[in-house]
């Protein structure tokens, strides 16, 4: 087998594919996910590992996962010390996986595991990143679809590197891309942006995203709004520039309006009218000022968090089960 890059970590273990599953309170769906995942990986030639990352689940998800096993794949269970959020859980998964290619997949079966062989085939063709784009978003309200579309539009006008629209976290990354991502020092990890930042050979596959198998989404609109803000402020400083432009525009118009007022007073005397226009100008200016200060605060907050340099996550335990029938695994390896 050709190794695209060979890091000491990967040659040592000779795992070809790591499937990373971050999960948070997914006890109902995990057995079904594991069953489908194993069925897919069993039929693949590659030597695989499944890396489950428990993002501080409060139900018995971790217990369920620790009892998982597979005939052909190594099952690794990583548990974080508390809920750090999906972005951190994914970072943990990427750092603790040893494959030459990695696939990130949601636990809720919205991303069909059956597509993994296609993704791996594209990687074999030489692609470093296989983005999975949703053709349809089943089981999502019109409001979520509309807000998602508006968000991607806004993000891509603000950010220089294009972040593909409707591509979730389901994707394949090659070892060299993951190595670069793992080396990024930032604490604030907006993964959709981070994944497209390294570049390399990217390709996109379209698929139908299923509705959640069971349980509920872990994101409410407030959290999504926070994620959107994170996405924009961690990948672009254009909003700051916009605030500067708006300020300059308003200052220039104020200057000209000032000239008009002075001329009017000189020609026709002081009429002292205009309470409404005064109020409007004052309120508009006040609003823009507050907004700009808030915006500044967002960026300063980000700097504050970065300067603390706290780890992204803490690992509580790692458990690993080798493939149950060892000779199968050896066969695969040969
Ligand atoms: N998830 C996680 N940590 C969290 C929230 C979610 O690891 O704090 C996992 C969750 O278990 C699932 C994936 O991230 O595997 C996607 O979450 P969800 O389905 O709630 O998001 P949506 O598909 O609605 O965007
Ligand atoms: Mg989901």
């Amino acid at each position: 087998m050709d190794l695209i890059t060979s890091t000491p970590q990967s040659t040592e273990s000779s795992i070809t594919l790591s499937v990373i599953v971050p999960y948070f309170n997914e006890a109902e769906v995990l057995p079904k996910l594991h069953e489908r995942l194993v069925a897919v990986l069993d039929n693949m030639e590659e030597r695989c590992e499944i890396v489950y990352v428990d993002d501080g689940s409060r139900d018995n998800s971790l217990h369920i996962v620790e009892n998982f096993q597979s005939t052909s794949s190594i099952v690794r269970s990583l548990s974080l010390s508390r809920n750090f959020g999906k972005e951190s859980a994914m970072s943990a998964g990427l750092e603790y996986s040893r494959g030459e290619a990695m696939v990130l997949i949601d636990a809720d079966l919205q991303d069909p595991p059956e597509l993994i062989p296609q993704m791996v085939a594209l990687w074999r063709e030489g692609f470093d990143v296989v983005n999975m784009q949703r053709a349809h978003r089943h089981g999502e309200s019109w409001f979520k679809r509309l807000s998602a579309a508006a968000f991607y539009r806004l993000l891509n006008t603000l950010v220089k590197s294009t972040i593909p629209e409707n591509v979730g976290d389901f994707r394949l990354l090659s070892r060299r891309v993951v190595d670069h991502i793992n080396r990024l020092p930032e604490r604030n990890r907006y993964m959709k942006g981070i994944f497209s930042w390294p570049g390399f050979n990217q390709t996109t596959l379209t698929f139908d995203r299923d509705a959640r198998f069971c349980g509920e989404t872990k994101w409410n609109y407030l959290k999504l709004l926070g994620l959107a803000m994170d996405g924009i402020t961690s990948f672009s400083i254009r909003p700051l520039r916009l605030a500067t432009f708006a300020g300059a525009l308003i200052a220039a118009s104020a200057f000209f309006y000032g000239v008009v007022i002075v001329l009017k007073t000189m020609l026709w005397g002081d009429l002292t009218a205009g309470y409404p226009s005064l109020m409007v100008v004052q309120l508009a200016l006040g609003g823009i000022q507050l907004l700009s200060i808030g915006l500044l605060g967002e960026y300063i907050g980000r700097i504050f968090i970065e300067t603390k340099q706290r780890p992204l996550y803490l690992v509580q335990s790692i458990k690993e089960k080798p493939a149950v029938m060892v000779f199968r695994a050896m066969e695969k390896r040969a």
Side-chain angles (χ1 to χ4, degrees), residues 76-142:
R76 221 172 197 215
S77 162
L78 197 72
S79 130
L80 305 186
S81 61
R82 65 171 169 85
N83 181 247
F84 283 90
K86 187 186 178 190
E87 314 284 305
S88 298
M90 284 191 290
S91 298
L94 291 176
E95 278 176 41
Y96 280 83
S97 305
R98 298 156 293 179
E100 284 305 310
M102 323 209 170
V103 170
L104 285 157
I105 190 167
D106 279 2
D108 59 1
L109 286 173
Q110 279 192 285
D111 310 325
E114 290 74 20
L115 295 176
I116 293 175
Q118 278 183 51
M119 300 163 83
V120 171
L122 282 169
W123 168 66
R124 292 264 184 225
E125 279 175 30
F127 288 106
D128 286 287
V129 179
V130 183
N131 296 308
M132 301 300 285
Q133 190 170 43
R134 306 165 202 173
H136 302 285
R137 299 169 72 119
H138 293 301
E140 289 181 10
S141 68
W142 64 269

Side-chain angles (χ1 to χ4, degrees), residues 22-24 26 55 83 85-86 89 106-108 110 144 209 212 216-219 223:
Y23 65 90
F24 174 58
E26 302 280 7
D55 188 15
N83 181 247
K86 187 186 178 190
D106 279 2
D108 59 1
Q110 279 192 285
K144 181 154 183 191
R209 191 158 205 245
R212 218 170 203 289
E216 280 192 354
T217 171
K218 309 286 179 292
W219 301 88
K223 263 187 161 178

